[in-house]
């Protein structure tokens, strides 16, 4: 109930958010109404109150009076209770049965007690103890264990991701740093991403060269900017073969190590004169002709956080006036979350630096022990090519967003430990990729979400809105985000995190 949460929150505050403080929830016979809406993608987890999903729940007390009776007299749970118990299992929450035995299912007859040997005593304490009746709560335990066995097997993608749950990683900086071979290998395992790029390029080629002009049209020119070790180059070649369109392409890459692998791949796969490699930063490269399409994958978990906008703005001069960018646009999303575990992980990173530093850094993370407290809202959108009206006008990639969130459960207070960030992108036409939960591309594993922490968690009062603001700012050398809670919930406020990029930035 609301009172329960307030009690927990007060206790936790008084204990200074101590990481060893945790919760046992009572799963009552009457469950509160399921929270409205939902961001999708949560499966059974949606059955749980999101406020508790992000809290350190270690055990759930399940009383025997929460059980129904099936037609054979055995204890069973309502569908809602089943969903709650399944969701608890996926969170590694221990289920504790308690109460009187209220069911008397038919029991198999007890096997006859073995006759005591003449020498043995009759108290059965010599290892030949008399068979005993099972524990009175055994039928309830049996049912819970049946629910556990019924859990769907994890998909390959879930299995691969399970080791990364709630693990905070610094976002990659593929522009400022040169990625390692192992990082490219991880990217290249995600066939879904490359198949989707292939579909986007196929759709573009079909639009560019209609069927009736296939024989007479000149080859389409593609420019792959940020080719890495070539998986999207290969997807473009497959798209040309699949559509029967003539095509030649340039592959630009600035990481010298990746270029070596790219060269080897070009030779091994006989790309020949269909692909010209250019080892250069796309912002300064000088390819010999302009392209019909600029193909790139420079996206981070928050869409623009690996500086795709700045790179593509620098590269769009290679594009013909009617050329297109693949992706055509991308949008980031934010949502307030309860995430005590992530907050504790940030606190544990403190290393003698300014104590704000680790709380003013966004982290890439496979969000797991997290409750989504409100539906996410679109944050920043970038469209390419980005040619501002007025010709030479400077492109301004700074952004500001102000969001007023309504709680998914307006009757309940919650603790906000930060924000989850996601992105969607429209590669071409209606071909999209997404890590935004309601539209997540199935089985795509290339990106986890991003977590923006709040140094001091905010109590979000029941029935009130929560106002937050995000900024994307930058100067000639770097780009950064700032974020804050700026109102609602009884005037809740936090300081502006990462003001002026003092704790975290992305190098240009
Ligand atoms: C996210 S990786 C994607 C690589 C590849 N497309 C894939 O899917 O495996 C981005 C690549 O773009 C390259 N890159 C980033 N900024 C660049 C720039 N300004 N000029 C050239 N390459 C760049 C990086 O070195 C990296 O190889």
């Amino acid at each position: 109930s609301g009172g329960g949460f307030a009690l927990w929150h007060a206790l936790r505050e008084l204990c200074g958010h101590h990481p060893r403080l945790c919760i046992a929830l009572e799963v009552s016979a009457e469950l509160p109404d399921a929270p409205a809406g939902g961001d999708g993608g949560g499966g059974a987890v949606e059955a749980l109150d999101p406020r508790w999903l992000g809290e350190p729940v270690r055990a759930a007390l399940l009383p025997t009076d929460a059980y129904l009776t099936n037609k054979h007299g055995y204890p069973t749970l309502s569908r809602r209770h089943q969903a709650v118990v399944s969701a608890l299992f996926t969170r590694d929450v221990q289920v504790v049965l308690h109460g009187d035995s209220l069911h008397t299912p038919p029991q198999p007859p007890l096997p006859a007690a073995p006759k005591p040997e003449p020498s043995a005593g009759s108290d059965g304490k010599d290892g030949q103890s008399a068979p005993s009746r099972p524990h009175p709560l055994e039928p309830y335990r049996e049912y819970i264990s049946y629910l556990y066995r019924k859990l769907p097997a994890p998909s390959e993608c879930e299995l691969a991701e399970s080791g990364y749950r709630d693990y905070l990683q610094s976002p990659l900086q593929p522009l400022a740093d040169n990625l390692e071979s192992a990082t490219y290998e991880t990217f290249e395992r995600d066939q879904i991403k490359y198949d989707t790029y292939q579909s986007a390029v196929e759709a573009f080629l079909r639009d560019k060269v209609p069927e009736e002009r296939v024989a007479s049209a000149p080859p389409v020119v593609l420019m792959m900017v940020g080719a890495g070790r070539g998986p999207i180059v290969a997807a473009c070649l497959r798209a040309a073969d699949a559509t029967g369109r003539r095509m030649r392409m340039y592959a630009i890459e600035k990481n010298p190590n990746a270029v070596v692998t790219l060269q080897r791949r070009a030779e091994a796969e006989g790309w020949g004169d269909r692909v010209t490699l250019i080892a250069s930063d796309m912002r300064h490269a000088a390819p010999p002709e302009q392209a019909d399409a600029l193909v790139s994958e420079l996206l981070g978990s928050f869409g623009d956080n690996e500086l795709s906008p700045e790179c593509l703005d620098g590269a769009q001069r290679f594009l013909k006036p009617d050329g297109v960018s693949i992706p055509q646009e991308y949008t980031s999303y934010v949502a307030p979350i309860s995430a005590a575990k992530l907050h504790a992980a940030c606190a544990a990173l403190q290393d003698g630096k300014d104590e704000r530093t680790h709380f003013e850094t966004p982290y890439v993370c496979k969000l797991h022990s997290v409750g989504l407290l409100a539906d996410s809202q679109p944050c920043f959108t970038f469209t390419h090519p980005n040619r501002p009206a007025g010709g030479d006008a400077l492109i301004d990639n700074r952004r500001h967003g102000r969001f007023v969130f309504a709680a998914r459960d307006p009757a309940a207070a919650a603790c906000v430990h930060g924000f989850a960030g996601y992105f969607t992108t429209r590669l071409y036409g209606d071909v999209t990729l997404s890590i935004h939960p309601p539209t997540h591309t199935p089985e795509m594993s290339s990106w986890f979400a991003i977590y923006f922490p709040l140094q001091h968690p905010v109590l979000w009062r029941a029935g009130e809105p929560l106002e937050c603001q995000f900024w994307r700012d930058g100067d000639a050398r770097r780009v950064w985000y700032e974020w804050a809670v700026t109102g609602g919930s009884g005037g809740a406020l936090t300081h502006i995190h990462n003001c002026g990029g003092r704790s975290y930035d992305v190098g240009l």
Side-chain angles (χ1 to χ4, degrees):
S1 70
F5 187 84
L7 263 178
W8 154 245
H9 188 71
L11 180 66
R12 183 237 312 266
E13 281 290 321
L14 292 168
C15 296
H17 290 254
H18 196 285
R20 289 174 65 185
L21 200 60
C22 46
I23 303 168
L25 284 182
E26 172 107 29
V27 182
S28 46
E30 288 294 316
L31 287 176
D33 289 340
D39 226 349
V45 168
E46 302 250 311
L48 281 184
D49 183 334
R51 291 175 307 158
W52 294 111
L53 284 173
E55 300 291 353
V57 179
R58 291 285 175 277
L61 310 179
L62 187 61
T64 47
D65 67 4
Y67 283 80
L68 309 172
T69 310
N70 76 7
K71 60 180 183 217
H72 304 294
Y74 286 89
T76 178
L77 286 173
S78 71
R79 279 186 185 282
R80 255 318 286 288
H81 279 86
Q82 288 180 37
V84 167
V85 171
S86 303
L88 293 169
F89 283 147
T90 65
R91 300 295 158 129
D92 294 330
V93 174
Q94 190 173 9
V95 175
V96 180
L97 299 172
H98 72 104
D100 297 330
S101 173
L102 304 174
H103 294 75
T104 42
Q107 287 188 358
L110 287 176
K115 280 214 175 85
E117 294 292 320
S119 60
S122 58
D123 61 357
K125 283 182 187 157
D126 57 351
Q128 303 249 359
S129 56
S132 57
R133 288 263 167 215
H135 189 285
L137 298 189
E138 179 58 18
Y140 302 91
R141 194 203 63 80
E142 252 304 311
Y143 183 75
I144 294 297
S145 115
Y146 155 77
L147 288 185
Y148 187 79
R149 292 194 303 272
K150 234 176 55 164
L151 283 181
S155 68
E156 243 175 71
C157 192
E158 285 169 330
L159 278 178
E161 290 171 352
S162 60
Y164 294 95
R165 286 176 178 170
D166 298 323
Y167 177 71
L168 302 180
Q169 293 175 274
S170 293
L172 294 175
Q173 299 222 9
L175 181 54
D177 304 334
N178 282 327
L179 301 180
E180 291 177 5
S181 222
T183 311
Y184 287 110
E185 267 168 39
T186 310
F187 293 154
E188 289 162 17
R189 271 184 229 126
D190 187 3
Q191 196 52 41
I192 304 283
K193 178 177 96 175
Y194 302 112
D195 289 348
T196 312
Y197 265 86
Q198 181 180 335
S199 303
V201 175
E202 282 182 20
F204 164 71
L205 291 173
R206 288 204 167 90
D207 283 354
K208 185 73 193 165
V209 183
E211 209 57 54
E212 62 279 9
R213 291 188 45 231
V214 166
S216 59
V220 177
V221 180
L222 297 188
M223 192 94 57
M224 172 80 218
V225 289
R229 309 195 311 178
I232 297 181
V233 176
C236 293
L237 293 172
R238 288 197 299 273
D241 293 344
T243 55
R245 269 51 175 184
R246 291 195 301 145
M247 185 267 278
R248 67 167 172 271
M249 68 185 296
Y250 296 86
I252 304 181
E253 173 55 54
K254 60 134 186 114
N255 177 350
N257 307 322
V259 169
V260 172
T261 316
L262 193 58
Q263 267 158 347
R264 282 206 209 110
R265 181 164 187 180
E267 284 158 24
E269 296 183 15
W271 291 352
D273 53 11
R274 291 174 89 193
V275 183
T276 305
L277 305 186
I278 302 179
S280 168
D281 186 310
M282 69 182 81
R283 294 168 296 175
H284 317 298
E289 62 179 325
Q290 286 191 311
D292 296 296
L294 202 59
V295 185
S296 68
E297 193 283 272
L298 302 162
L299 299 170
S301 299
F302 201 48
D304 55 84
N305 63 303
E306 291 182 8
L307 307 193
S308 181
E310 286 71 15
C311 289
L312 293 185
D313 292 349
Q316 66 187 16
R317 63 207 154 85
F318 314 143
L319 206 49
K320 292 178 185 169
D322 64 343
V324 303
S325 166
I326 298 174
Q328 293 183 297
E329 65 177 28
Y330 35 91
T331 297
S332 53
Y333 288 79
V334 285
I337 52 172
S338 144
K341 192 167 177 183
L342 302 187
H343 191 265
C346 271
L349 292 173
Q350 299 305 337
D351 51 8
K353 285 193 199 155
D354 179 339
E355 67 156 9
R356 291 174 303 202
T357 306
H358 296 291
F359 286 111
E360 295 196 337
T361 300
Y363 299 92
V364 167
C365 183
K366 172 67 196 159
L367 303 180
H368 185 66
S369 303
V370 165
L372 212 49
L373 300 175
D375 288 351
S376 40
Q377 295 190 25
C379 187
F380 305 139
T381 295
F382 288 87
T383 305
H384 297 285
N386 182 7
R387 297 185 175 120
D392 288 343
L394 267 184
I395 297 175
D396 187 354
N397 287 327
R398 290 173 304 168
R399 296 283 189 279
H400 169 239
R402 179 177 164 277
F403 313 99
V404 178
F405 292 103
R408 286 173 68 184
D409 184 351
C415 182
V416 186
H417 294 95
F419 302 91
Y422 311 101
F423 81 94
T424 61
T425 177
R426 196 164 59 78
L427 292 180
Y428 182 79
D430 59 4
V431 183
T432 58
L433 288 174
S434 168
I435 64 160
H436 184 219
T439 55
H440 199 295
T441 306
E443 295 293 302
M444 184 177 67
S445 60
S446 286
W447 295 272
F448 294 150
I450 201 159
Y451 167 54
F452 290 91
L454 286 177
Q455 185 176 4
H456 302 291
V458 165
L459 180 66
W460 186 353
R461 293 206 212 153
E464 299 193 21
L466 186 78
E467 185 196 276
C468 312
Q469 298 189 54
F470 271 72
W471 293 262
R472 186 185 200 268
D473 208 345
D475 59 25
R477 291 180 303 108
R478 56 202 193 108
V479 171
W480 64 87
Y481 301 101
E482 300 175 14
W483 60 98
V485 173
T486 52
S489 189
L493 276 178
T494 66
H495 72 272
I496 297 178
H497 289 63
N498 196 31
C499 196
R502 66 184 165 206
S503 297
Y504 158 86
D505 58 35
V506 191
L508 274 166

